[in-house]
Amino acid sequence: MLEEGREGNILAGVSSADVGPEAKEYYLLRADEEYRNGNVEHSIYYQVKAQFHATDMRYITEAAELEKRRPTTQELMKSASNQEKGDFKSKKFLRNIIKHLQQVEQQKPPEMPTEEDLDYMDFLEGSQNPTEGLTRIMDICHRMPDEWCILHLCKSFNPATTYSVFNEIMASDGAIYLSLLRHCRSPQLGPIGLRFAGSNMANLFREYSTMVERFRRVVTVDPLNVKSKEAKQKYWEELKVFDTFLQKLQANFRDIISPYSFLFFGKRYDCSGAQKQAKIIYSRVDDFCLLNQWSTHQRVLLSQAALHANRLDSANLKLICYELSSNENEIQSVYDMLKEFASEWNQVEERQPLVGRRFPTILVVDERLDHFHWEQLVTVQEFTRIKSLHCLWRLFQIHKSNISHGYYTTNIKQGMCIINPDADLVNSGRRLRSFFEYWLSQWQHLFETVPNEEVVLKQALQSDCFVYAGHGSGLQYVNGRTISRARVQSVVFLFGCDSTRMLSTGLYSALYGAHDYYHGAQCPSIVGTLMPALDGNMDTVSVTVLSLWLAPGNKQVIPWTQIDRVPWLKSGIIKGKVKTTTTMSDEPNYHLGSLCSIMSLVQQGKVEPNTYNCCIYVCRGLPAWNLAVEKMPL
């Protein structure tokens, strides 16, 4: 057990960037204590502080660049001693050096560090107490896009796992903290937090910790041993059993979070109909809360439920009411009010369909909860993940000039793909090669060829979009530290098993994923996987996602949704389902600009129906919008 006094004295003046494994446990312990004592806001501060620690800084190079920045000539002269100033006046050689440096500065003035350059790396550095720290957190959240809802997800402290291996930490019992750092009533009402705990949590963590290995045991087979009809049948039966296990696991997860899944909905699109209706609803909510002396916590929850009432069935609405109050009169009043709001929202959406669309929800996910299927709680919602509020703030600061209506906007014209570099995924390589040559003929392609670091850094990662499809994440071909020291321009797709799964480097150590290196290199958005997948299923998902988000090089190609899937899967042959087919020139509304909306379709099972196929794909970083295929409707 950590001793509060000793650890507190040691860590009081330490920045978040210096937090290591033991210090993270200390902050989680403090978060638990504050929550139990009723200081929810202080608990939120410690949760945020715990999720940014020393290992995160190894991916960030701006700090080192600022430290190495050469002083300006003005700064040099100002800091010179009297003797040095005398030498300068008397020595022409020194004057010539300064003159030359001044000429260089006139041609390219040095970039001066600003407060934002310094605080986006650790905005909690120097905070003296939770109150001051929470004020900074709220300020950071309010300076980010109004369209975002930011949910912070954190696993509680468990003293039994302080020095355990990661598998033990994953499987250990604990509680889940859900904090709404930015929500539908921000900034008028501050952040709120919830804690999910109970007897069924231990089993949930234990079962989730076995998920990947269970799948591996099913699909890792020798092809020579599954040639008979009986062996094939047994293989598919075992896969079906795993799918049933995963469905039950997700149902148990939803039951624990229920009825609070509605908190994962994002804000409605900021159109006139939504603004007018929301204003009416919030006014009624505030009047009700004031009359019944409800807390800010209750007011935020009721506001969120009211904003999305028509997406919740009667049973869920009733459960929400019982969570909000124990007074039967209040429960009935809230239920009637929410039912009325649901009817009103349906009418508004009929008149103005844009009202039914929602902005992305940003999930700040603790590394120990990253393997959970958060997107499955509300599959129709757009999501993206990030590992800490610090990382989100940094990416926002770097790319804010390209952020519009909460989306990182890009205009993808050119790209590069690296497909099956080891040349050992024969069927997958054939399928993907045919797709890229057919749909993205204008791209630079690298098929069945091992790339060197120069190709990856100077070509792939500097294009508008980069797609990797092969084993793992591709880090076996280019060192992760090398990537983090680059500046990635691309939106990145990593279509490989475990491509963005959090992994451990040893005993009790911070986790890492391939996306950490890319985000360190300022990559705005990454799509990757949480666990392994079958080649054919992953190929189907990857080409569907890419075809919906990227414009084809030739408008005369057949829309990918009209391609006959069977010959393409078997032989990589592309042909239409029927003889008479349309072309992309006849399909002006085929594409979707929001990448997160496409990933939502995957999560809903509309691309691959089996649970083990649709739930593993996640967006990480900023929500991206490709203006080359769809203009923003706002």
Side-chain angles (χ1 to χ4, degrees), residues 461 465-468 488 490-494 518 523 525-528:
L461 300 183
C465 183
F466 167 54
V467 178
Y468 166 80
V488 176
S490 311
V491 173
V492 174
F493 293 85
L494 302 177
Y518 283 97
C523 174
S525 305
I526 302 171
V527 169

Side-chain angles (χ1 to χ4, degrees), residues 460-524:
L461 300 183
Q462 300 308 310
S463 60
D464 298 332
C465 183
F466 167 54
V467 178
Y468 166 80
H471 293 296
S473 63
L475 288 185
Q476 61 269 42
Y477 308 112
V478 55
N479 185 277
R481 295 294 295 275
T482 303
I483 291 177
S484 66
R485 284 169 168 72
R487 287 292 176 267
V488 176
Q489 304 295 324
S490 311
V491 173
V492 174
F493 293 85
L494 302 177
F495 290 120
C497 295
D498 304 310
S499 63
T500 62
R501 183 159 73 96
M502 300 302 292
L503 303 170
S504 176
T505 55
L507 291 174
Y508 182 66
S509 59
L511 306 184
Y512 77 97
H515 52 284
D516 290 331
Y517 297 109
Y518 283 97
H519 287 328
Q522 303 180 2
C523 174

Side-chain angles (χ1 to χ4, degrees), residues 19 54 79 83 89 216 252 355 439 444 448 483 506 545 554 590 606 619:
V19 175
S79 61
Q83 182 177 347
K89 291 181 179 179
R216 288 191 193 279
N252 293 338
V355 174
W439 194 269
Q444 186 176 358
E448 284 82 41
I483 291 177
V545 170
N554 184 350
Y590 178 85
K606 293 186 176 180
C619 287

Side-chain angles (χ1 to χ4, degrees), residues 371-619:
H371 57 299
F372 278 48
H373 299 117
W374 297 103
E375 290 81 359
Q376 285 288 308
L377 294 174
V378 185
T379 57
V380 296
Q381 172 60 36
E382 297 184 19
F383 289 106
T384 185
R385 296 188 181 197
I386 202 79
K387 73 179 301 181
S388 68
L389 187 63
H390 288 78
C391 184
L392 176 63
W393 176 240
R394 174 174 173 268
L395 287 180
F396 167 70
Q397 287 291 85
I398 291 167
H399 297 291
K400 63 182 177 182
S401 61
N402 291 320
I403 293 177
S404 177
H405 298 294
Y407 292 92
Y408 167 77
T409 57
T410 181
N411 200 322
I412 296 179
K413 301 295 185 183
Q414 295 293 329
M416 182 175 181
C417 66
I418 296 177
I419 307 299
N420 188 24
D422 289 334
D424 57 350
L425 301 172
V426 179
N427 294 329
S428 182
R430 184 189 303 120
R431 287 189 289 261
L432 293 177
R433 180 169 191 147
S434 68
F435 168 78
F436 277 92
E437 290 179 341
Y438 179 77
W439 194 269
L440 298 169
S441 55
Q442 78 278 22
W443 276 32
Q444 186 176 358
H445 306 141
L446 198 63
F447 302 121
E448 284 82 41
T449 302
V450 175
N452 56 43
E453 286 193 347
E454 184 176 3
V455 169
V456 174
L457 296 176
K458 294 186 178 180
Q459 297 179 43
L461 300 183
Q462 300 308 310
S463 60
D464 298 332
C465 183
F466 167 54
V467 178
Y468 166 80
H471 293 296
S473 63
L475 288 185
Q476 61 269 42
Y477 308 112
V478 55
N479 185 277
R481 295 294 295 275
T482 303
I483 291 177
S484 66
R485 284 169 168 72
R487 287 292 176 267
V488 176
Q489 304 295 324
S490 311
V491 173
V492 174
F493 293 85
L494 302 177
F495 290 120
C497 295
D498 304 310
S499 63
T500 62
R501 183 159 73 96
M502 300 302 292
L503 303 170
S504 176
T505 55
L507 291 174
Y508 182 66
S509 59
L511 306 184
Y512 77 97
H515 52 284
D516 290 331
Y517 297 109
Y518 283 97
H519 287 328
Q522 303 180 2
C523 174
S525 305
I526 302 171
V527 169
T529 61
L530 295 175
M531 58 179 280
L534 300 176
D535 293 346
N537 302 125
M538 184 174 288
D539 292 344
T540 298
V541 171
S542 61
V543 298
T544 304
V545 170
L546 294 174
S547 71
L548 289 173
W549 201 60
L550 300 170
N554 184 350
K555 288 286 188 180
Q556 299 309 308
V557 298
I558 303 171
W560 195 257
T561 51
Q562 298 180 25
I563 297 296
D564 191 340
R565 183 175 172 179
V566 175
W568 179 74
L569 281 172
K570 287 185 174 180
S571 309
I573 296 173
I574 296 176
K575 63 179 183 180
K577 294 178 182 178
V578 294
K579 290 184 179 180
T580 305
T581 57
T582 59
T583 64
M584 284 300 296
S585 58
D586 304 316
E587 297 283 347
N589 300 318
Y590 178 85
H591 290 104
L592 295 172
S594 170
L595 178 56
C596 292
S597 69
I598 298 173
M599 300 309 297
S600 171
L601 297 177
V602 176
Q603 291 285 339
Q604 293 173 57
K606 293 186 176 180
V607 179
E608 276 284 350
N610 291 321
T611 305
Y612 60 83
N613 288 323
C614 67
C615 68
I616 70 170
Y617 298 92
V618 295
C619 287

Side-chain angles (χ1 to χ4, degrees), residues 114-132:
T114 64
E115 288 187 8
E116 290 181 347
D117 290 330
L118 300 172
D119 75 7
Y120 70 57
M121 283 169 275
D122 183 9
F123 54 77
L124 291 179
E125 185 172 5
S127 59
Q128 299 299 314
N129 54 65
T131 301
E132 180 185 346

Side-chain angles (χ1 to χ4, degrees), residues 8-9 11-16 26-27 30 34 42 45-46 49 123-136:
N9 290 334
L11 296 171
V14 176
S15 70
S16 298
Y26 167 77
Y27 290 134
R30 293 302 305 274
E34 295 287 3
H42 288 184
Y45 161 75
Y46 284 115
K49 196 171 179 67
F123 54 77
L124 291 179
E125 185 172 5
S127 59
Q128 299 299 314
N129 54 65
T131 301
E132 180 185 346
L134 185 70
T135 299
R136 294 191 188 186

